[in-house]
Amino acid sequence: MSIKNASVDVAVIGGGPAGLAAALAAKEAGADQVLVIERDFELGGILQQCVHDGFGILKFGERLPGPAYMERYIDAVSQRDIKVMVDSMVLELTSDRTLYVASPIEGLVEVRAKAVVLAMGCRERTRSQIWLPGTRPAGIYTAGTVQRYINMEGILPGHKVVILGSGDVGLIMARRLTLIGTEVEGVYEVMSKPGGLTRNIVQCLEDYNIPLYLSHTVIDIHGEKRLTGVTVAKVDADRRPLPGTERFISCDTLVLSVGLIPENELSYDAGVELHPVTGGPVVDECMATSLPGVFAAGNVVAVFDLVDYVSDIGEIAGRAAARYAAGESNDGPAIKLNPGANVNFVLPQVVHPIHLTEPVAFYLRVKESKESANVFVKSGSALIKQVPQIVVRPPEMVSFVLTPTEISRAGNFDLIVSVE
Amino acid sequence: MNDKHTLTCIVCPKSCRLYVENTGSGMQITGYGCKRGLEYANEEIRESRRMLTATVTVRNGNLPRLPVISSAPIPRRLFDACLRELSMVVVKAPVKLGQVIVRDIQKTGVDIVASRSLTKREG
Amino acid sequence: MREDYDVIIVGAGITGCGIARELARYDLKILVVDKEEDVCCGVSKANNGMVHSGYEPKPGTLKAKLNVRGVELYPNWAQELGFKFMQTGSMVAAFNEEEIPALKELLERGKTNGVPGIEIISGDEARKKEPNLNKEIIAVLWTPSAGYVEVQQVVLALAENAVANGVHFLLGAEVTNVMVEDGKVYGVVTTHGPFGSRYVINASGLYADKVAEMAGAREFTIHPRHGTLIIFDKREGKHISCFIGAIPGEFTKGGGPMTTPDGNPLWGPSAIEIPDKENTAVTADEIHQVIEKDLRFIPNFPINTVITYFAGNRPATYTEDFFIEASTKVQGFINVAGIQSPGVASSPAIAEMVLNIMKEFEPLRESPDFNPYRPRFIPFRERTHAEQAELIAQDLRFGHVICRCEHVTEAEIIRAIHGPIPARNLDAIKRRTRAGMGRCQGGFCGPRVTAILARELGVPVTTITKKGLDSELFAESIEKLMPERETIR
């Protein structure tokens, strides 16, 4: 078998919420050949394993479980003439938009795409990346992997669990593990504030009397073959363990919920410019990356907390990809959006004021919590927009909109976005 | 004798801290930032309810577990009984999203429905 | 008594497998036993894979002799056995004038030991070869003959070639006794029963003293020396192409940054005496030590690209030299002990030496069917796209990528499970295919690999282990759960 060849207008890498929204939008915008390449056995992405509810409040006005949210998109995709490859892995993406795809049905396929949408999502930060000392036994898992085992493979990882990290994934898993009969000894969080939504602290920890230990971390792992326990300790403001606070906890499973990393290996190798803070591509208002014809959407751009936003920017990317494939371009002068006080990052990081016909939604994360805060968008000292917020917290992305008129007031100058 | 405890409202991101005091003449609720918070507090006091999501065993499907969700919030004190009942359920593929898996679980008036469709396993 | 062998080798690390393959050239019935469920799980597991050039051992020691001879034999081994052997040389750095005499001493020692091409070059010359070296390095001892291997690949290649030439492997079987009568060995007892043999070769690493004791042939003691290694992302694999280290004998003992043949930067090892042979825990101190020490050589290296770290124990004897001798107390019992650094480099020469010891006992007849070649199976990830297309045409499962980070396909995992040394657990799959060695450390491929293992072995997935007995990955299948516990405590 020699390499199969295929030519498409829009190739979407990843069949999760961002990818499917992009594919549908691309089709809607007139792209003829739209292909979605998904490495799992079915479409849906990470939401397939998120059996809890809460998805789609903004988009559908409902609190759907993950698979139900995705089924709407999966059904829509099957009703349109969108080509899908599952169990298929993109091995390489070149800078001129050629994809090499390994498929157990089609073989090795070289796909030449007029436009590409990157929608590969995230991977999880590992034990080694947080420099956790100790032995290397069986029984150490990242939260997403445990979620997959429980919810899709039907496997219980262990009987007594310690969870490190109080982000939403960790909190959701604390509840899930408890509901299937595992004992969750506690959730340990190295920061002094919880990493996830307060409603998840209530519904996942307080409801089940699972203790949350802030300013604590795991400092050692025990057990040669299977985990026998961990040592936890309180930490100081610099996250260093305080001597004398060490405590051994007997357990057979350690679940790590210590962060998500946008999965940009393909992007990096193709030459896409990545942002040092988000870990994802630098994008403009069309979700275009620095590589012509390559767009990006979803968690591959930055870690989002609302799938509704992911679907929104998926649509934007898909539409823009279709237009690019049809020969339209978005060149022109660009201005940057830079993070100011209390802003970790804002995206898109770039806008082209001249081409704007519609308002642009921006997304940012703050560094510190604040009540009664305001998002300030300034150009130099001129205030372009002020958007009041009831409360801002690092785990909750803030979204605001700028109209073309508002953006044009910046002229050629970059915008600074701060939250104070 | 006054009995005071706190709860966190989960209706919106503001997450107001609510204070519930059992005065001689009934429940007094303070701390809510809006009407929905007061409603939430009243509901919580009367009977704490949550949506139940879980997975059940599937036979012959393209996945071994079917995710399910309650059609409405269920009293938390009945969770254990509901989970026990669900652990004994076996569903045969194919399944349609929304299909009722258990009707009126534990006499709550709430159904447990499929959170997704599942096809029959191939081959 | 079960099957009778001519030779039983205790230990399936690089030493044991090297000896097995060498002896397989001859008309001998050979059995290799190891208490672990796979080869290369003891001392050989936590190793940086450096094939040292031979300047380090004291002249006149067995280490010195076998190190240099081993390096001579390595290219032939690599060619016959199909493992990657990169001879990119090694460096020892001097940061100031006070360190130059020590460098010169190493140079002399190297020359005495017969190390080819050894010389001292200036810091600038060194930076021409390795531009990322610390500018403060003023001089470097350069040895071009040093090389690098992935030790697991060497051990697997040796073991597979041995199997192809008739050697039996019994893994997961611990030797509990060595049977001796009238001062002559006649077999071993294992947890899988007794086996008879005329020779017992003790290549059991950390437990060589314990096994020798069982035979009544103990003439040494093994004291473990702990070492930690750190592996970084392949994306940073271009920082350095050879090994660079500090002058051994300082407060730091050897070790330094290098890049493996598969392209990962590898730092370490540290060296700490510990009492417990089984202690392979990594401490914060050792991590810190390795980073602090190795960063000196390539100061601009991004250490946040860490992928994993692990530790192992070196089986040091109190003489710090190899102990390779036929026992004078027990006839037929050959000790091959204390094989710490330069054990990997010396391996071909150790095998040769043990063969010569055997030949002193009896004439050995060459086996006419011996095939020294074990061709390397080039992994999917290393193939061109055209070759990948061809592979998938042969077996569609090459088109199903299971490990996203290392592009390992289902076909390769199945191949590992049914190979000459069958992979039965997650680490064994990882060892053969690299599945799980990438950035996500098995987060993505774990569920898939375990499912494939269960399917291919025809066992429930809940019996799949990480590295053998008692390292089960899972507790229970959820459908079998009857929750007894109250969820609301």
Side-chain angles (χ1 to χ4, degrees), chain B residues 2-3 12 24-26 39-40 78 83 87-88 95-96 112 116 122-123:
Chain B
N2 284 345
D3 198 21
C12 91
S25 47
E39 276 167 26
Y40 172 76
L78 293 175
L83 289 166
S87 75
M88 293 184 264
V95 179
K96 268 222 77 52
I112 302 293
R116 61 168 290 167
E122 279 148 48

Side-chain angles (χ1 to χ4, degrees), chain C residues 407-486:
Chain C
H407 287 171
V408 181
T409 65
E410 184 174 352
E412 293 164 291
I413 292 168
I414 292 171
R415 202 174 164 273
I417 296 170
H418 299 294
I421 309 266
R424 289 257 172 285
N425 56 54
L426 205 62
D427 278 4
I429 301 276
K430 191 204 288 199
R431 195 164 287 127
R432 287 153 183 67
T433 64
R434 288 189 67 89
M437 281 192 184
R439 296 172 189 102
C440 83
Q441 287 290 285
F444 176 75
C445 65
R448 292 156 173 83
V449 175
T450 49
I452 295 171
L453 263 170
R455 182 191 77 206
E456 294 294 313
L457 297 176
V459 299
V461 74
T462 44
T463 64
I464 301 295
T465 66
K466 182 178 189 287
K467 43 187 166 176
L469 199 58
D470 294 334
S471 67
E472 278 76 16
L473 288 159
F474 314 118
E476 187 60 85
S477 169
I478 289 181
E479 76 174 55
K480 297 203 170 63
L481 281 183
M482 285 292 153
E484 293 303 331
R485 284 185 11 82
E486 299 290 291

Side-chain angles (χ1 to χ4, degrees), chain A residues 337-351:
Chain A
L337 276 90
N338 294 317
N342 198 21
V343 171
N344 204 358
F345 67 81
V346 59
L347 69 98
Q349 295 93 343
V350 176
V351 285

Side-chain angles (χ1 to χ4, degrees), chain C residues 163-448:
Chain C
V163 166
N165 285 297
V167 173
H168 291 184
F169 274 75
L170 182 66
L171 300 172
E174 181 172 348
V175 167
T176 53
N177 202 10
V178 179
M179 299 185 287
V180 176
E181 192 167 30
D182 294 331
K184 219 163 87 150
V185 79
Y186 69 94
V188 300
V189 181
T190 74
T191 48
H192 278 55
F195 297 90
S197 73
R198 303 184 290 112
Y199 295 93
V200 172
I201 299 178
N202 177 16
S204 52
L206 283 167
Y207 298 94
D209 52 356
K210 185 168 154 204
V211 172
E213 178 88 48
M214 290 175 196
R218 174 174 162 165
E219 291 159 67
F220 52 87
T221 303
I222 302 292
H223 62 99
R225 188 175 295 124
H226 197 257
T228 294
L229 295 162
I230 304 179
I231 296 191
F232 298 87
D233 197 313
K234 279 183 185 176
R235 185 176 297 172
E236 305 300 332
K238 299 279 186 327
H239 276 261
I240 192 165
S241 63
C242 77
F243 166 90
I244 179 147
I247 295 164
E250 294 180 344
F251 73 94
T252 54
K253 189 170 182 158
M258 55 169 264
T259 304
T260 68
D262 275 342
N264 294 90
L266 193 161
W267 289 19
S270 52
I272 298 192
E273 305 292 324
I274 58 157
D276 179 8
K277 287 177 178 177
E278 285 297 329
N279 178 2
T280 55
V282 172
T283 62
D285 276 345
E286 278 192 84
I287 292 175
H288 187 72
Q289 238 185 63
V290 170
I291 292 177
E292 205 184 68
K293 191 178 72 185
D294 292 13
L295 213 48
R296 269 179 91 210
F297 303 105
I298 40 174
N300 297 318
F301 190 88
I303 61 164
N304 63 352
T305 60
V306 61
I307 281 192
T308 191
Y309 39 82
F310 49 87
N313 292 314
R314 308 162 178 84
T317 57
Y318 282 107
T319 62
E320 298 293 336
D321 196 8
F322 296 157
F323 189 92
I324 304 175
E325 284 181 23
S327 171
T328 47
K329 296 191 211 159
V330 180
Q331 196 183 334
F333 191 85
I334 302 172
N335 280 307
V336 188
I339 312 300
Q340 50 165 330
S341 179
V344 169
S346 308
S347 195
I350 293 174
E352 192 182 56
M353 180 171 173
V354 171
L355 172 64
N356 289 334
I357 291 175
M358 292 277 303
K359 281 180 172 168
E360 279 171 33
F361 284 111
E362 62 183 70
L364 297 178
R365 202 173 41 227
E366 275 188 37
S367 173
D369 302 320
F370 180 77
N371 180 3
Y373 294 101
R374 173 260 190 194
R376 178 170 184 252
F377 177 80
I378 301 172
F380 183 87
R381 72 176 150 274
E382 288 180 29
R383 311 257 185 162
T384 64
H385 292 310
E387 289 167 348
Q388 289 170 336
E390 191 45 54
L391 277 177
I392 303 175
Q394 292 166 23
D395 182 348
L396 287 175
R397 294 170 302 187
F398 276 107
H400 192 197
V401 175
I402 299 295
C403 167
R404 170 237 344 253
C405 302
E406 297 284 324
H407 287 171
V408 181
T409 65
E410 184 174 352
E412 293 164 291
I413 292 168
I414 292 171
R415 202 174 164 273
I417 296 170
H418 299 294
I421 309 266
R424 289 257 172 285
N425 56 54
L426 205 62
D427 278 4
I429 301 276
K430 191 204 288 199
R431 195 164 287 127
R432 287 153 183 67
T433 64
R434 288 189 67 89
M437 281 192 184
R439 296 172 189 102
C440 83
Q441 287 290 285
F444 176 75
C445 65
R448 292 156 173 83

Side-chain angles (χ1 to χ4, degrees), chain A residues 316-332:
Chain A
I316 293 170
R319 211 172 310 140
R323 279 197 241 113
Y324 186 92
E328 295 173 41
S329 95
N330 202 37
D331 292 332

Side-chain angles (χ1 to χ4, degrees), chain A residues 42 68 71 152 198 207 390, chain B residues 15 50 64 76 115-117:
Chain A
E42 64 174 5
E71 195 152 321
M152 292 181 80
T198 306
D207 276 5
I390 302 173
Chain B
S15 309
R50 303 276 186 263
R76 285 207 290 133
S115 299
R116 61 168 290 167
S117 303

